[in-house]
PDB file of all heavy atoms in Angstrom:
ATOM      1  N   THR B  36      11.544  -8.772  14.424  1.00 91.00           N
ATOM      2  CA  THR B  36      10.644  -9.673  13.704  1.00 91.00           C
ATOM      3  C   THR B  36       9.369 -10.012  14.485  1.00 91.00           C
ATOM      4  O   THR B  36       8.277  -9.895  13.926  1.00 91.00           O
ATOM      5  CB  THR B  36      11.398 -10.938  13.282  1.00 91.00           C
ATOM      6  OG1 THR B  36      12.499 -10.525  12.478  1.00 91.00           O
ATOM      7  CG2 THR B  36      10.519 -11.871  12.493  1.00 91.00           C
ATOM      8  N   PRO B  37       9.455 -10.387  15.789  1.00 90.00           N
ATOM      9  CA  PRO B  37       8.199 -10.672  16.502  1.00 90.00           C
ATOM     10  C   PRO B  37       7.282  -9.453  16.570  1.00 90.00           C
ATOM     11  O   PRO B  37       6.063  -9.580  16.475  1.00 90.00           O
ATOM     12  CB  PRO B  37       8.667 -11.067  17.908  1.00 90.00           C
ATOM     13  CG  PRO B  37      10.105 -11.319  17.811  1.00 90.00           C
ATOM     14  CD  PRO B  37      10.636 -10.601  16.632  1.00 90.00           C
ATOM     15  N   TYR B  38       7.898  -8.276  16.711  1.00 90.00           N
ATOM     16  CA  TYR B  38       7.114  -7.035  16.771  1.00 90.00           C
ATOM     17  C   TYR B  38       6.380  -6.815  15.446  1.00 90.00           C
ATOM     18  O   TYR B  38       5.182  -6.506  15.414  1.00 90.00           O
ATOM     19  CB  TYR B  38       8.066  -5.877  17.072  1.00 90.00           C
ATOM     20  CG  TYR B  38       7.430  -4.526  17.068  1.00 90.00           C
ATOM     21  CD1 TYR B  38       6.479  -4.181  18.019  1.00 90.00           C
ATOM     22  CD2 TYR B  38       7.785  -3.585  16.112  1.00 90.00           C
ATOM     23  CE1 TYR B  38       5.895  -2.932  18.008  1.00 90.00           C
ATOM     24  CE2 TYR B  38       7.201  -2.326  16.099  1.00 90.00           C
ATOM     25  CZ  TYR B  38       6.265  -2.011  17.047  1.00 90.00           C
ATOM     26  OH  TYR B  38       5.686  -0.776  17.026  1.00 90.00           O
ATOM     27  N   LEU B  39       7.115  -7.009  14.318  1.00 90.00           N
ATOM     28  CA  LEU B  39       6.500  -6.844  12.996  1.00 90.00           C
ATOM     29  C   LEU B  39       5.389  -7.864  12.803  1.00 90.00           C
ATOM     30  O   LEU B  39       4.342  -7.556  12.236  1.00 90.00           O
ATOM     31  CB  LEU B  39       7.550  -7.026  11.907  1.00 90.00           C
ATOM     32  CG  LEU B  39       8.682  -6.011  11.898  1.00 90.00           C
ATOM     33  CD1 LEU B  39       9.658  -6.338  10.788  1.00 90.00           C
ATOM     34  CD2 LEU B  39       8.127  -4.612  11.703  1.00 90.00           C
ATOM     35  N   ARG B  40       5.627  -9.096  13.306  1.00 89.00           N
ATOM     36  CA  ARG B  40       4.621 -10.144  13.147  1.00 89.00           C
ATOM     37  C   ARG B  40       3.340  -9.734  13.882  1.00 89.00           C
ATOM     38  O   ARG B  40       2.238  -9.914  13.363  1.00 89.00           O
ATOM     39  CB  ARG B  40       5.184 -11.448  13.704  1.00 89.00           C
ATOM     40  CG  ARG B  40       4.522 -12.678  13.130  1.00 89.00           C
ATOM     41  CD  ARG B  40       5.268 -13.921  13.535  1.00 89.00           C
ATOM     42  NE  ARG B  40       6.454 -14.154  12.739  1.00 89.00           N
ATOM     43  CZ  ARG B  40       7.622 -14.554  13.231  1.00 89.00           C
ATOM     44  NH1 ARG B  40       7.756 -14.758  14.530  1.00 89.00           N
ATOM     45  NH2 ARG B  40       8.648 -14.765  12.440  1.00 89.00           N
ATOM     46  N   ALA B  41       3.505  -9.134  15.069  1.00 90.00           N
ATOM     47  CA  ALA B  41       2.319  -8.703  15.823  1.00 90.00           C
ATOM     48  C   ALA B  41       1.601  -7.580  15.080  1.00 90.00           C
ATOM     49  O   ALA B  41       0.378  -7.570  14.977  1.00 90.00           O
ATOM     50  CB  ALA B  41       2.731  -8.245  17.218  1.00 90.00           C
ATOM     51  N   LEU B  42       2.386  -6.634  14.530  1.00 88.00           N
ATOM     52  CA  LEU B  42       1.788  -5.532  13.769  1.00 88.00           C
ATOM     53  C   LEU B  42       0.986  -6.069  12.600  1.00 88.00           C
ATOM     54  O   LEU B  42      -0.144  -5.637  12.344  1.00 88.00           O
ATOM     55  CB  LEU B  42       2.898  -4.624  13.212  1.00 88.00           C
ATOM     56  CG  LEU B  42       3.431  -3.507  14.079  1.00 88.00           C
ATOM     57  CD1 LEU B  42       4.420  -2.684  13.270  1.00 88.00           C
ATOM     58  CD2 LEU B  42       2.307  -2.604  14.549  1.00 88.00           C
ATOM     59  N   ALA B  43       1.589  -7.027  11.871  1.00 88.00           N
ATOM     60  CA  ALA B  43       0.935  -7.570  10.674  1.00 88.00           C
ATOM     61  C   ALA B  43      -0.280  -8.391  11.058  1.00 88.00           C
ATOM     62  O   ALA B  43      -1.316  -8.316  10.402  1.00 88.00           O
ATOM     63  CB  ALA B  43       1.925  -8.408   9.880  1.00 88.00           C
ATOM     64  N   ALA B  44      -0.173  -9.165  12.146  1.00 88.00           N
ATOM     65  CA  ALA B  44      -1.277 -10.054  12.531  1.00 88.00           C
ATOM     66  C   ALA B  44      -2.506  -9.251  12.934  1.00 88.00           C
ATOM     67  O   ALA B  44      -3.631  -9.717  12.801  1.00 88.00           O
ATOM     68  CB  ALA B  44      -0.845 -10.954  13.671  1.00 88.00           C
ATOM     69  N   ARG B  45      -2.276  -8.026  13.411  1.00 88.00           N
ATOM     70  CA  ARG B  45      -3.406  -7.209  13.826  1.00 88.00           C
ATOM     71  C   ARG B  45      -4.280  -6.839  12.624  1.00 88.00           C
ATOM     72  O   ARG B  45      -5.472  -6.668  12.745  1.00 88.00           O
ATOM     73  CB  ARG B  45      -2.882  -5.937  14.506  1.00 88.00           C
ATOM     74  CG  ARG B  45      -3.817  -5.417  15.562  1.00 88.00           C
ATOM     75  CD  ARG B  45      -3.304  -4.143  16.170  1.00 88.00           C
ATOM     76  NE  ARG B  45      -2.054  -4.300  16.877  1.00 88.00           N
ATOM     77  CZ  ARG B  45      -1.234  -3.286  17.148  1.00 88.00           C
ATOM     78  NH1 ARG B  45      -1.525  -2.070  16.749  1.00 88.00           N
ATOM     79  NH2 ARG B  45      -0.117  -3.486  17.809  1.00 88.00           N
ATOM     80  N   ARG B  46      -3.654  -6.683  11.448  1.00 84.00           N
ATOM     81  CA  ARG B  46      -4.412  -6.255  10.272  1.00 84.00           C
ATOM     82  C   ARG B  46      -4.716  -7.396   9.310  1.00 84.00           C
ATOM     83  O   ARG B  46      -5.718  -7.357   8.604  1.00 84.00           O
ATOM     84  CB  ARG B  46      -3.632  -5.181   9.508  1.00 84.00           C
ATOM     85  CG  ARG B  46      -3.115  -4.053  10.364  1.00 84.00           C
ATOM     86  CD  ARG B  46      -4.051  -2.877  10.412  1.00 84.00           C
ATOM     87  NE  ARG B  46      -4.204  -2.223   9.146  1.00 84.00           N
ATOM     88  CZ  ARG B  46      -3.399  -1.277   8.711  1.00 84.00           C
ATOM     89  NH1 ARG B  46      -2.393  -0.892   9.445  1.00 84.00           N
ATOM     90  NH2 ARG B  46      -3.612  -0.698   7.556  1.00 84.00           N
ATOM     91  N   LEU B  47      -3.847  -8.401   9.241  1.00 83.00           N
ATOM     92  CA  LEU B  47      -4.030  -9.483   8.280  1.00 83.00           C
ATOM     93  C   LEU B  47      -4.435 -10.733   9.053  1.00 83.00           C
ATOM     94  O   LEU B  47      -3.801 -11.088  10.028  1.00 83.00           O
ATOM     95  CB  LEU B  47      -2.723  -9.770   7.529  1.00 83.00           C
ATOM     96  CG  LEU B  47      -2.049  -8.581   6.844  1.00 83.00           C
ATOM     97  CD1 LEU B  47      -0.622  -8.926   6.532  1.00 83.00           C
ATOM     98  CD2 LEU B  47      -2.793  -8.243   5.576  1.00 83.00           C
ATOM     99  N   GLY B  48      -5.481 -11.406   8.599  1.00 76.00           N
ATOM    100  CA  GLY B  48      -5.925 -12.571   9.329  1.00 76.00           C
ATOM    101  C   GLY B  48      -5.081 -13.804   9.055  1.00 76.00           C
ATOM    102  O   GLY B  48      -4.645 -14.496   9.961  1.00 76.00           O
ATOM    103  N   ASN B  49      -4.816 -14.016   7.771  1.00 74.00           N
ATOM    104  CA  ASN B  49      -4.211 -15.260   7.314  1.00 74.00           C
ATOM    105  C   ASN B  49      -2.758 -15.403   7.772  1.00 74.00           C
ATOM    106  O   ASN B  49      -1.969 -14.484   7.625  1.00 74.00           O
ATOM    107  CB  ASN B  49      -4.293 -15.212   5.795  1.00 74.00           C
ATOM    108  CG  ASN B  49      -3.903 -16.487   5.158  1.00 74.00           C
ATOM    109  OD1 ASN B  49      -3.071 -17.215   5.688  1.00 74.00           O
ATOM    110  ND2 ASN B  49      -4.496 -16.756   4.033  1.00 74.00           N
ATOM    111  N   ARG B  50      -2.388 -16.562   8.312  1.00 75.00           N
ATOM    112  CA  ARG B  50      -1.046 -16.711   8.878  1.00 75.00           C
ATOM    113  C   ARG B  50       0.053 -16.619   7.839  1.00 75.00           C
ATOM    114  O   ARG B  50       1.103 -16.019   8.070  1.00 75.00           O
ATOM    115  CB  ARG B  50      -0.936 -18.039   9.619  1.00 75.00           C
ATOM    116  CG  ARG B  50      -1.252 -17.906  11.077  1.00 75.00           C
ATOM    117  CD  ARG B  50      -0.667 -19.050  11.836  1.00 75.00           C
ATOM    118  NE  ARG B  50       0.775 -19.079  11.757  1.00 75.00           N
ATOM    119  CZ  ARG B  50       1.545 -19.935  12.398  1.00 75.00           C
ATOM    120  NH1 ARG B  50       0.998 -20.834  13.150  1.00 75.00           N
ATOM    121  NH2 ARG B  50       2.844 -19.914  12.278  1.00 75.00           N
ATOM    122  N   SER B  51      -0.163 -17.221   6.672  1.00 77.00           N
ATOM    123  CA  SER B  51       0.909 -17.182   5.661  1.00 77.00           C
ATOM    124  C   SER B  51       1.038 -15.770   5.093  1.00 77.00           C
ATOM    125  O   SER B  51       2.122 -15.332   4.731  1.00 77.00           O
ATOM    126  CB  SER B  51       0.643 -18.194   4.558  1.00 77.00           C
ATOM    127  OG  SER B  51      -0.400 -17.749   3.738  1.00 77.00           O
ATOM    128  N   ASP B  52      -0.088 -15.025   5.045  1.00 82.00           N
ATOM    129  CA  ASP B  52      -0.033 -13.618   4.624  1.00 82.00           C
ATOM    130  C   ASP B  52       0.797 -12.811   5.611  1.00 82.00           C
ATOM    131  O   ASP B  52       1.580 -11.947   5.215  1.00 82.00           O
ATOM    132  CB  ASP B  52      -1.440 -13.012   4.551  1.00 82.00           C
ATOM    133  CG  ASP B  52      -2.079 -13.269   3.204  1.00 82.00           C
ATOM    134  OD1 ASP B  52      -1.346 -13.719   2.306  1.00 82.00           O
ATOM    135  OD2 ASP B  52      -3.285 -13.026   3.065  1.00 82.00           O
TER     136      ASP B  52
END
Side-chain angles (χ1 to χ4, degrees):
Chain B
T36 302
Y38 176 66
L39 297 179
R40 203 170 281 138
L42 273 185
R45 210 182 296 160
R46 311 266 295 274
L47 306 163
N49 188 329
R50 267 201 63 176
S51 73
D52 273 349

